[in-house]
Amino acid sequence: MQISITKAEKLKPKPDDADLTFGTIFTDHMFNMDYDPENKWHNPRIEPYAPIAMDPSTMVLHYGQAVFEGLKAYRTESGAIQLFRPKDNFKRLNRSSRALCIPEIDEASVLDALKQLLNLETDWIPHAPETSLYIRPTIISMDPYLGVRASYMYRFFIILSPVGVYYSEGFNPIKIWVTKDHVRAVRGGMGEAKTPGNYAASLYAGEKAKKIGYTQVLWLDGVEQKYVEEVGSMNIFFVIDNEIISPELNGSILPGLTRDSVIQLAKYWNMKISERKISIDDVFNAHEAGKLQEIFGSGTAAVISPVGELKYNDNVIRIGNGKVGPIAHKFFKTITDIQFGKAEDPLRWIERI
Ligand code: COI
């Protein structure tokens, strides 16, 4: 793919690594590409980061027909820049696109475009431990039209954001609220697609959780409201009686790449790992029986995030005395060491640029 490059005339000041949070600062350039039925995906270009001009009737603003991805670029101690499983992100983007009637992108060309963008923005990749450059590929529907149908025109873009930790707790246990009052997704719906509507659906309960002192919501299945699904910004794992359990992918759970990495590593280490249905009652009963050892979440933004407290109705349980459990720690350390080039990459996840 021949990409045209227009460089920014003036570069922005770079933030201090120590000040980095999540998703507030954007680099000097972005990648853009357009789609229409006649020209298909065309006009790939790297340009200065800038607002996207759109008609107020643009379909994405009204019906949310859009998909996105999240991945990161890491700087190693030797100064190399590397990506973690980027091909899998673009594969998942296409999978999400199919669910939203969005035309698929050529995965290899788009990965090449990302690498070219990163080459231009290398100085934006932070140096401090636990910092990285978050990458947000996104596709939005662009027809100026108010009827409900799939759009004919689309914009694909990639923006970059230097980030620190996602949760203000850092790698410390977070508190999670389990609710039956709200549903994020149902089977047969779009729960497994990385699409804005799923995140919009999580906001109301998320704000309620914050008001009562909890960081996130643990979603139950949308049919029986009995089985654990995911947290919304991450997938979830339970360690019960030395078995690591993550809810099986059922169509309404996002197939997280960090989730898959945890599962693959656990198998590689011969740990007991299961993807299966697990009810919220199973979790509370395991705690009652003294068998619930750990709970942790997994996600690109959050990496591995230990859960120290669960609230479900009036029951509040504390897990691991507010400390990070050894299994969560082992996955966090191994995955981040691989991402930052400090450890071997036995499962071949790293792609250098
Ligand atoms: C990610 O982990 O990359 C996500 O997309 C979660 C969230 C920031 C939306």
Side-chain angles (χ1 to χ4, degrees), residues 219-284:
W219 299 100
L220 301 179
D221 74 277
V223 180
E224 292 174 80
Q225 287 171 281
K226 182 172 167 192
Y227 297 101
V228 174
E229 297 228 314
E230 63 165 86
V231 174
S233 58
M234 47 183 201
N235 295 111
I236 192 90
F237 287 86
F238 302 90
V239 186
I240 297 176
D241 212 7
N242 292 322
E243 178 190 13
I244 307 169
I245 306 158
S246 192
E248 68 188 1
L249 299 178
N250 60 0
S252 56
I253 297 176
L254 185 88
L257 293 177
T258 313
R259 173 189 182 277
D260 184 66
S261 305
V262 167
I263 292 168
Q264 286 197 40
L265 273 175
K267 288 182 180 161
Y268 179 73
W269 290 329
N270 290 321
M271 294 169 103
K272 190 171 177 202
I273 177 117
S274 317
E275 291 175 79
R276 63 175 169 84
K277 277 185 169 181
I278 174 164
S279 71
I280 191 66
D281 289 342
D282 290 341
V283 174
F284 277 75

Coordinates of all heavy atoms in Angstrom, one line a residue, residues 219-284:
W219 N -20.2 -7.7 34.8 CA -21.5 -8.0 34.1 C -21.8 -9.5 34.2 O -21.0 -10.3 34.0 CB -21.4 -7.6 32.7 CG -21.1 -6.1 32.5 CD1 -19.9 -5.5 32.3 CD2 -22.1 -5.1 32.7 NE1 -20.0 -4.2 32.3 CE2 -21.3 -3.8 32.5 CE3 -23.4 -5.0 32.9 CZ2 -22.0 -2.6 32.6 CZ3 -24.0 -3.8 33.0 CH2 -23.3 -2.6 32.8
L220 N -23.1 -9.7 34.4 CA -23.6 -11.1 34.4 C -24.3 -11.3 33.0 O -24.6 -10.3 32.3 CB -24.7 -11.3 35.5 CG -24.1 -11.1 36.9 CD1 -25.2 -11.3 38.0 CD2 -22.9 -12.0 37.2
D221 N -24.6 -12.6 32.7 CA -25.2 -12.8 31.4 C -26.5 -12.1 31.3 O -27.2 -12.0 32.3 CB -25.3 -14.3 31.2 CG -26.5 -14.9 32.0 OD1 -26.3 -15.2 33.2 OD2 -27.6 -15.1 31.4
G222 N -26.9 -11.7 30.1 CA -28.1 -10.9 29.9 C -29.4 -11.8 29.8 O -30.5 -11.2 29.8
V223 N -29.3 -13.1 29.9 CA -30.5 -13.9 29.8 C -31.0 -14.3 31.2 O -32.0 -13.9 31.7 CB -30.3 -15.1 28.9 CG1 -31.5 -16.0 28.8 CG2 -29.8 -14.7 27.5
E224 N -30.1 -15.0 31.9 CA -30.5 -15.5 33.3 C -30.0 -14.6 34.4 O -30.3 -14.7 35.5 CB -30.0 -16.9 33.5 CG -30.7 -17.9 32.6 CD -30.0 -19.3 32.8 OE1 -30.4 -20.0 33.8 OE2 -29.2 -19.7 31.9
Q225 N -29.0 -13.7 34.0 CA -28.3 -12.9 35.0 C -27.8 -13.7 36.1 O -28.0 -13.4 37.3 CB -29.2 -11.8 35.5 CG -29.4 -10.7 34.3 CD -30.4 -9.7 34.7 OE1 -31.6 -10.0 34.5 NE2 -30.0 -8.6 35.1
K226 N -27.1 -14.7 35.7 CA -26.6 -15.7 36.7 C -25.1 -16.0 36.5 O -24.4 -16.1 37.5 CB -27.4 -17.0 36.4 CG -27.2 -18.2 37.3 CD -28.1 -19.3 37.0 CE -27.7 -20.6 37.7 NZ -28.4 -21.7 37.2
Y227 N -24.7 -16.0 35.2 CA -23.3 -16.4 34.9 C -22.5 -15.1 34.7 O -22.9 -14.2 34.1 CB -23.3 -17.3 33.7 CG -24.0 -18.6 33.9 CD1 -25.3 -18.8 33.4 CD2 -23.4 -19.6 34.6 CE1 -26.0 -20.0 33.6 CE2 -24.1 -20.8 34.9 CZ -25.4 -21.0 34.4 OH -26.0 -22.1 34.6
V228 N -21.2 -15.2 35.2 CA -20.3 -14.1 35.1 C -19.9 -14.0 33.6 O -19.6 -15.0 32.9 CB -19.1 -14.4 35.9 CG1 -18.0 -13.3 35.7 CG2 -19.5 -14.4 37.4
E229 N -19.8 -12.7 33.1 CA -19.4 -12.5 31.7 C -18.0 -11.7 31.7 O -17.0 -12.3 31.5 CB -20.4 -11.7 30.9 CG -21.7 -12.6 30.8 CD -22.2 -12.6 29.4 OE1 -22.3 -11.6 28.8 OE2 -22.6 -13.8 29.0
E230 N -18.0 -10.4 31.9 CA -16.8 -9.7 31.8 C -16.9 -8.4 32.6 O -18.0 -8.1 33.1 CB -16.4 -9.4 30.4 CG -17.4 -8.5 29.6 CD -16.8 -8.0 28.3 OE1 -16.9 -8.7 27.3 OE2 -16.3 -6.9 28.3
V231 N -15.9 -7.6 32.6 CA -15.9 -6.4 33.4 C -16.2 -5.2 32.5 O -16.6 -4.1 33.0 CB -14.6 -6.2 34.2 CG1 -14.6 -4.8 34.9 CG2 -14.5 -7.3 35.3
G232 N -16.0 -5.3 31.2 CA -16.4 -4.1 30.3 C -15.1 -3.5 29.8 O -15.0 -3.3 28.6
S233 N -14.1 -3.2 30.7 CA -12.8 -2.8 30.1 C -11.8 -3.9 30.2 O -10.6 -3.7 29.9 CB -12.3 -1.5 30.8 OG -12.2 -1.8 32.2
M234 N -12.3 -5.1 30.7 CA -11.4 -6.2 30.8 C -12.2 -7.5 30.9 O -13.3 -7.5 31.3 CB -10.4 -6.1 31.9 CG -10.9 -5.6 33.2 SD -9.6 -5.4 34.5 CE -10.5 -5.6 36.0
N235 N -11.5 -8.6 30.6 CA -12.1 -10.0 30.9 C -11.7 -10.3 32.3 O -11.0 -9.7 33.0 CB -11.5 -11.0 29.9 CG -11.9 -10.7 28.5 OD1 -11.1 -10.4 27.7 ND2 -13.2 -10.9 28.2
I236 N -12.3 -11.4 32.8 CA -12.2 -11.8 34.2 C -11.8 -13.2 34.4 O -12.1 -14.1 33.6 CB -13.5 -11.5 35.0 CG1 -13.3 -11.5 36.5 CG2 -14.7 -12.4 34.6 CD1 -13.0 -10.2 37.1
F237 N -10.9 -13.4 35.4 CA -10.5 -14.8 35.8 C -10.7 -15.0 37.3 O -10.5 -14.0 38.1 CB -8.9 -14.9 35.6 CG -8.6 -15.0 34.1 CD1 -8.4 -13.8 33.3 CD2 -8.4 -16.2 33.5 CE1 -8.1 -13.9 32.0 CE2 -8.1 -16.3 32.1 CZ -8.0 -15.2 31.4
F238 N -11.0 -16.2 37.7 CA -11.1 -16.6 39.1 C -10.2 -17.7 39.3 O -10.0 -18.6 38.5 CB -12.6 -17.1 39.4 CG -13.6 -16.1 39.1 CD1 -14.2 -16.0 37.8 CD2 -14.0 -15.1 40.0 CE1 -15.1 -15.0 37.5 CE2 -14.9 -14.2 39.7 CZ -15.5 -14.1 38.5
V239 N -9.5 -17.8 40.5 CA -8.7 -18.9 40.9 C -9.5 -19.6 42.1 O -9.6 -19.0 43.1 CB -7.3 -18.5 41.3 CG1 -6.5 -19.8 41.5 CG2 -6.6 -17.7 40.2
I240 N -10.0 -20.8 41.8 CA -10.8 -21.5 42.8 C -10.2 -22.9 43.0 O -10.1 -23.6 42.0 CB -12.3 -21.6 42.4 CG1 -12.9 -20.2 42.3 CG2 -13.0 -22.4 43.4 CD1 -14.3 -20.1 41.8
D241 N -9.7 -23.1 44.2 CA -9.2 -24.5 44.4 C -8.1 -24.8 43.4 O -8.1 -25.9 42.8 CB -10.3 -25.5 44.4 CG -10.1 -26.6 45.3 OD1 -9.2 -26.6 46.1 OD2 -10.9 -27.6 45.2
N242 N -7.2 -23.9 43.1 CA -6.1 -24.1 42.2 C -6.5 -24.3 40.7 O -5.6 -24.6 39.9 CB -5.2 -25.3 42.6 CG -4.5 -25.0 43.9 OD1 -4.1 -23.8 44.1 ND2 -4.4 -25.9 44.8
E243 N -7.8 -24.0 40.4 CA -8.2 -24.0 39.0 C -8.4 -22.6 38.6 O -9.1 -21.8 39.3 CB -9.5 -24.8 38.9 CG -10.0 -24.8 37.4 CD -11.4 -25.4 37.3 OE1 -12.1 -25.6 38.4 OE2 -11.9 -25.7 36.2
I244 N -7.8 -22.2 37.4 CA -8.0 -20.8 36.9 C -9.2 -20.9 36.0 O -9.2 -21.8 35.0 CB -6.7 -20.3 36.2 CG1 -5.5 -20.5 37.1 CG2 -6.9 -18.9 35.7 CD1 -4.2 -20.2 36.3
I245 N -10.2 -20.1 36.2 CA -11.4 -20.2 35.4 C -11.7 -18.8 34.8 O -11.7 -17.8 35.4 CB -12.6 -20.6 36.3 CG1 -12.3 -21.8 37.1 CG2 -13.9 -20.7 35.4 CD1 -13.2 -22.0 38.3
S246 N -12.0 -18.9 33.4 CA -12.5 -17.6 32.8 C -13.8 -18.0 32.1 O -13.9 -19.1 31.5 CB -11.5 -17.1 31.8 OG -11.9 -15.8 31.4
P247 N -14.8 -17.1 32.2 CA -16.1 -17.5 31.5 C -15.8 -17.8 30.0 O -15.0 -17.1 29.3 CB -16.9 -16.2 31.6 CG -16.3 -15.5 32.8 CD -14.9 -15.9 32.9
E248 N -16.5 -18.9 29.5 CA -16.3 -19.3 28.1 C -16.9 -18.2 27.2 O -17.9 -17.5 27.5 CB -16.9 -20.6 27.8 CG -18.4 -20.6 27.9 CD -19.1 -22.0 27.9 OE1 -18.3 -23.0 27.8 OE2 -20.3 -22.0 27.9
L249 N -16.3 -18.1 26.0 CA -16.7 -17.1 25.0 C -18.1 -17.6 24.5 O -18.1 -18.7 24.0 CB -15.7 -16.9 23.9 CG -14.3 -16.4 24.4 CD1 -13.4 -16.3 23.2 CD2 -14.4 -15.1 25.1
N250 N -19.1 -16.8 24.6 CA -20.4 -17.2 24.3 C -21.1 -16.3 23.3 O -22.3 -16.4 23.1 CB -21.3 -17.3 25.6 CG -21.4 -16.0 26.3 OD1 -20.8 -15.0 25.8 ND2 -22.1 -15.9 27.4
G251 N -20.4 -15.4 22.7 CA -21.0 -14.4 21.8 C -21.3 -13.1 22.4 O -21.4 -12.1 21.7
S252 N -21.4 -13.0 23.8 CA -21.7 -11.7 24.4 C -20.5 -11.2 25.2 O -20.6 -10.2 25.9 CB -23.0 -11.7 25.2 OG -22.9 -12.7 26.2
I253 N -19.4 -12.0 25.1 CA -18.1 -11.6 25.8 C -17.1 -11.2 24.8 O -16.9 -11.8 23.8 CB -17.6 -12.8 26.7 CG1 -18.7 -13.2 27.7 CG2 -16.3 -12.5 27.3 CD1 -18.3 -14.4 28.5
L254 N -16.3 -10.1 25.1 CA -15.3 -9.7 24.2 C -14.1 -10.7 24.2 O -13.6 -11.1 25.3 CB -14.7 -8.3 24.5 CG -13.7 -7.8 23.5 CD1 -14.4 -7.1 22.4 CD2 -12.6 -7.0 24.1
P255 N -13.7 -11.2 23.1 CA -12.6 -12.2 23.0 C -11.3 -11.4 23.2 O -10.6 -11.1 22.2 CB -12.7 -12.9 21.7 CG -13.5 -11.9 20.8 CD -14.3 -11.0 21.7
G256 N -10.9 -11.1 24.5 CA -9.7 -10.3 24.7 C -8.4 -11.0 24.4 O -8.3 -12.2 24.6
L257 N -7.5 -10.2 23.9 CA -6.2 -10.8 23.5 C -5.4 -11.1 24.7 O -4.6 -12.0 24.8 CB -5.5 -9.9 22.5 CG -6.1 -9.8 21.1 CD1 -5.4 -8.9 20.2 CD2 -6.2 -11.2 20.5
T258 N -5.5 -10.2 25.7 CA -4.8 -10.5 27.0 C -5.4 -11.7 27.7 O -4.7 -12.5 28.2 CB -4.8 -9.2 27.9 OG1 -4.4 -8.1 27.1 CG2 -3.8 -9.4 29.0
R259 N -6.7 -11.8 27.6 CA -7.4 -13.0 28.1 C -6.8 -14.3 27.4 O -6.4 -15.2 28.1 CB -8.9 -12.9 27.8 CG -9.7 -14.2 28.1 CD -11.1 -14.1 27.6 NE -11.9 -15.2 27.9 CZ -11.9 -16.4 27.2 NH1 -11.1 -16.5 26.1 NH2 -12.7 -17.4 27.6
D260 N -6.7 -14.2 26.1 CA -6.1 -15.4 25.4 C -4.7 -15.6 25.7 O -4.2 -16.8 25.8 CB -6.3 -15.1 23.9 CG -5.8 -16.3 23.1 OD1 -6.5 -17.4 23.2 OD2 -4.8 -16.2 22.4
S261 N -3.9 -14.6 26.0 CA -2.5 -14.7 26.4 C -2.4 -15.4 27.7 O -1.5 -16.3 27.9 CB -1.8 -13.4 26.4 OG -2.0 -12.7 25.2
V262 N -3.3 -15.0 28.7 CA -3.3 -15.7 30.0 C -3.6 -17.2 29.8 O -2.9 -18.0 30.4 CB -4.3 -15.0 30.9 CG1 -4.5 -15.9 32.2 CG2 -3.9 -13.6 31.3
I263 N -4.6 -17.5 29.0 CA -5.0 -18.9 28.8 C -3.8 -19.7 28.2 O -3.4 -20.8 28.6 CB -6.3 -19.0 28.0 CG1 -7.4 -18.4 28.8 CG2 -6.6 -20.4 27.5 CD1 -8.7 -18.1 28.0
Q264 N -3.2 -19.1 27.1 CA -2.1 -19.8 26.4 C -0.9 -20.0 27.4 O -0.3 -21.0 27.4 CB -1.6 -19.0 25.2 CG -2.6 -19.1 24.1 CD -1.9 -18.6 22.8 OE1 -0.8 -18.9 22.5 NE2 -2.6 -17.9 22.0
L265 N -0.6 -19.0 28.2 CA 0.5 -19.1 29.1 C 0.2 -20.2 30.2 O 1.1 -21.0 30.5 CB 0.8 -17.8 29.8 CG 1.7 -16.8 29.2 CD1 1.8 -15.5 30.0 CD2 3.1 -17.3 29.0
A266 N -1.0 -20.2 30.7 CA -1.4 -21.1 31.7 C -1.2 -22.6 31.2 O -0.7 -23.5 31.8 CB -2.8 -20.9 32.2
K267 N -1.6 -22.7 29.9 CA -1.5 -24.1 29.3 C 0.0 -24.4 29.1 O 0.4 -25.5 29.4 CB -2.2 -24.1 27.9 CG -3.7 -24.1 28.1 CD -4.4 -24.2 26.8 CE -6.0 -24.2 27.0 NZ -6.7 -23.9 25.9
Y268 N 0.8 -23.4 28.7 CA 2.2 -23.6 28.5 C 2.9 -24.0 29.8 O 3.8 -24.8 29.8 CB 2.8 -22.3 27.9 CG 4.2 -22.2 27.7 CD1 4.8 -22.9 26.6 CD2 5.1 -21.5 28.5 CE1 6.1 -22.9 26.3 CE2 6.4 -21.4 28.2 CZ 7.0 -22.1 27.1 OH 8.3 -22.1 26.9
W269 N 2.4 -23.5 30.9 CA 3.0 -23.8 32.2 C 2.3 -25.0 32.9 O 2.5 -25.3 34.0 CB 2.8 -22.6 33.2 CG 3.7 -21.4 32.8 CD1 4.9 -21.4 32.3 CD2 3.4 -20.0 33.1 NE1 5.4 -20.1 32.1 CE2 4.5 -19.3 32.6 CE3 2.3 -19.4 33.7 CZ2 4.5 -17.9 32.7 CZ3 2.3 -18.0 33.8 CH2 3.4 -17.3 33.3
N270 N 1.4 -25.7 32.1 CA 0.7 -26.8 32.7 C -0.1 -26.5 33.9 O -0.2 -27.3 34.8 CB 1.6 -28.0 33.0 CG 2.2 -28.6 31.7 OD1 1.4 -28.7 30.7 ND2 3.4 -28.9 31.7
M271 N -0.7 -25.3 34.0 CA -1.6 -25.0 35.1 C -3.0 -25.5 34.7 O -3.3 -25.6 33.5 CB -1.6 -23.5 35.3 CG -0.3 -22.9 35.8 SD -0.2 -21.1 35.8 CE -0.4 -20.8 37.5
K272 N -3.8 -25.6 35.7 CA -5.2 -26.1 35.5 C -6.0 -24.8 35.1 O -6.2 -23.9 35.9 CB -5.7 -26.7 36.7 CG -7.0 -27.4 36.4 CD -7.5 -28.3 37.6 CE -8.8 -28.9 37.4 NZ -9.5 -29.3 38.6
I273 N -6.4 -24.8 33.8 CA -7.1 -23.6 33.3 C -8.4 -24.1 32.6 O -8.4 -25.0 31.8 CB -6.3 -22.7 32.4 CG1 -7.1 -21.5 31.9 CG2 -5.6 -23.5 31.3 CD1 -6.6 -20.2 32.3
S274 N -9.5 -23.4 32.9 CA -10.8 -23.8 32.2 C -11.5 -22.6 31.7 O -11.5 -21.6 32.4 CB -11.7 -24.5 33.2 OG -11.0 -25.4 34.0
E275 N -12.0 -22.7 30.5 CA -13.0 -21.7 30.0 C -14.3 -22.4 30.1 O -14.6 -23.3 29.4 CB -12.7 -21.4 28.5 CG -11.4 -20.7 28.3 CD -11.1 -20.5 26.8 OE1 -11.7 -19.6 26.2 OE2 -10.3 -21.3 26.3
R276 N -15.1 -21.9 31.0 CA -16.4 -22.5 31.2 C -17.4 -21.5 31.9 O -16.9 -20.5 32.4 CB -16.3 -23.8 32.1 CG -15.7 -23.6 33.5 CD -15.8 -24.9 34.2 NE -15.1 -24.9 35.5 CZ -15.6 -24.5 36.6 NH1 -16.8 -24.0 36.7 NH2 -14.9 -24.6 37.8
K277 N -18.6 -21.9 31.9 CA -19.6 -21.1 32.6 C -19.3 -21.1 34.1 O -19.0 -22.1 34.7 CB -21.0 -21.7 32.4 CG -21.7 -21.3 31.1 CD -23.1 -21.9 31.2 CE -23.9 -21.4 30.0 NZ -25.3 -21.9 30.1
I278 N -19.3 -19.9 34.7 CA -19.2 -19.9 36.1 C -20.3 -18.9 36.7 O -20.3 -17.7 36.2 CB -17.8 -19.5 36.6 CG1 -17.7 -19.3 38.1 CG2 -17.2 -18.3 35.9 CD1 -16.3 -19.4 38.7
S279 N -21.1 -19.3 37.6 CA -22.1 -18.4 38.1 C -21.6 -17.6 39.2 O -20.6 -17.9 39.9 CB -23.3 -19.2 38.6 OG -23.0 -19.9 39.8
I280 N -22.3 -16.5 39.5 CA -21.8 -15.6 40.5 C -22.0 -16.3 41.9 O -21.2 -16.1 42.8 CB -22.6 -14.2 40.5 CG1 -21.9 -13.2 41.4 CG2 -24.1 -14.3 40.6 CD1 -20.5 -12.8 41.1
D281 N -23.0 -17.2 42.0 CA -23.2 -17.9 43.2 C -22.0 -18.9 43.4 O -21.6 -19.0 44.6 CB -24.5 -18.8 43.2 CG -25.7 -17.8 43.3 OD1 -25.6 -16.7 43.7 OD2 -26.8 -18.3 42.9
D282 N -21.5 -19.5 42.3 CA -20.3 -20.3 42.5 C -19.1 -19.5 43.1 O -18.4 -20.1 44.0 CB -19.8 -20.8 41.1 CG -20.7 -21.8 40.4 OD1 -21.5 -22.4 41.2 OD2 -20.6 -22.0 39.2
V283 N -19.0 -18.3 42.7 CA -17.9 -17.5 43.2 C -18.1 -17.2 44.7 O -17.2 -17.4 45.5 CB -17.8 -16.1 42.4 CG1 -16.7 -15.2 43.0 CG2 -17.5 -16.4 40.9
F284 N -19.3 -16.8 45.1 CA -19.5 -16.5 46.5 C -19.5 -17.7 47.3 O -19.0 -17.7 48.5 CB -20.8 -15.7 46.6 CG -20.6 -14.2 46.4 CD1 -20.5 -13.7 45.1 CD2 -20.5 -13.3 47.4 CE1 -20.3 -12.4 44.8 CE2 -20.3 -11.9 47.2 CZ -20.2 -11.5 45.9

